[in-house]
Amino acid sequence: MIFKSFIIVDRQYLDIEDKTYVNQVKVDAFTKSLAEKLTLHCNKDKLCEVQSMLDFTTNIPYKINENVARSARQVVTQNYGDCDDKSNLLISLLYVKGYEAYFVLVPKHIFVIVNLQQTLKDKKALYLDKKAFYKLETTATNSKIGFPLKYRFEEIEAIIDPFKNKKVKYSSLEYK
């Protein structure tokens, strides 16, 4: 029991410079069921799947959570969340469906990026080692895949793999 508790704590907290990121991503029966329901109409179309999960997440009202980030189930059942909460929900749904997705930390904000295994001609992307990742903004109601980067490129503090709870290592990072 103590060993299991240590693993949970170890995978939940990550120190980045002078801040601590709290990870609440989960793959459980709730997120699996929700991801399946949200994408049922998509017939395996990746853009449809990602946009459907993003639409669901962005339509949950934004409300600042003064406590530790909450789980996907809590965000849905309580029907509100801040950028941490809503990003935890979205990335959990994406992971269930097999997407490569990461958190991006910028000053006082967190958002999700996803690889679609295709290039969207009309959207800018963050390229990690020449692989396109499109921004998913969970706090803007009805936002679309490839939401414009509202921060300066230099303000990116870290890119996190929340399921490993580690910074993503890359040789090159571009926004184009």
Side-chain angles (χ1 to χ4, degrees):
M1 181 67 168
I2 293 172
F3 180 69
K4 184 175 181 183
S5 296
F6 175 76
I7 290 172
I8 291 168
V9 169
D10 184 47
R11 290 187 182 159
Q12 190 173 14
Y13 296 95
L14 179 67
D15 290 328
I16 298 170
E17 295 178 20
D18 61 341
K19 300 175 204 92
T20 300
Y21 159 70
V22 182
N23 179 341
Q24 287 289 341
V25 295
K26 287 190 174 100
V27 174
D28 56 13
F30 177 80
T31 54
K32 287 178 184 177
S33 174
L34 183 57
E36 289 305 316
K37 286 178 191 170
L38 293 172
T39 60
L40 192 59
H41 68 283
C42 292
N43 298 317
K44 307 268 187 222
D45 178 307
K46 291 179 185 294
L47 289 174
C48 177
E49 287 184 349
V50 171
Q51 190 63 56
S52 292
M53 292 183 282
L54 179 61
D55 288 345
F56 177 80
T57 306
T58 64
N59 283 296
I60 293 172
Y62 177 84
K63 179 179 169 188
I64 294 175
N65 173 19
E66 298 294 337
N67 298 315
V68 172
R70 297 171 310 127
S71 70
R73 181 185 291 273
Q74 290 171 311
V75 173
V76 173
T77 58
Q78 295 171 0
N79 196 35
Y80 76 88
D82 60 15
C83 60
D84 293 29
D85 300 329
K86 292 170 65 151
S87 292
N88 279 314
L89 167 61
L90 180 59
I91 209 160
S92 295
L93 296 171
L94 291 166
Y95 190 80
V96 164
K97 296 298 287 182
Y99 290 93
E100 182 181 6
Y102 303 115
F103 287 138
V104 178
L105 295 137
V106 292
K108 299 182 182 179
H109 190 56
I110 185 172
F111 59 86
V112 176
I113 56 174
V114 66
N115 177 265
L116 299 170
Q117 297 180 339
Q118 66 187 72
T119 302
L120 304 179
K121 291 182 175 77
D122 60 334
K123 303 286 184 182
K124 283 188 162 189
L126 274 175
Y127 285 80
L128 278 74
D129 294 333
K130 303 193 187 304
K131 186 190 257 188
F133 286 84
Y134 294 92
K135 184 179 178 208
L136 304 177
E137 180 54 65
T138 62
T139 61
T141 304
N142 296 318
S143 73
K144 301 298 177 208
I145 297 167
F147 193 87
L149 187 62
K150 299 292 182 185
Y151 291 83
R152 289 189 331 269
F153 183 71
E154 303 79 37
E155 290 181 291
I156 294 173
E157 296 172 345
I159 299 173
I160 305 295
D161 181 334
F163 290 93
K164 293 180 180 171
N165 211 30
K166 295 188 184 298
K167 286 184 180 182
V168 174
K169 293 183 181 184
Y170 51 85
S171 300
S172 65
L173 179 66
E174 299 173 89
Y175 182 63
K176 57 182 181 173

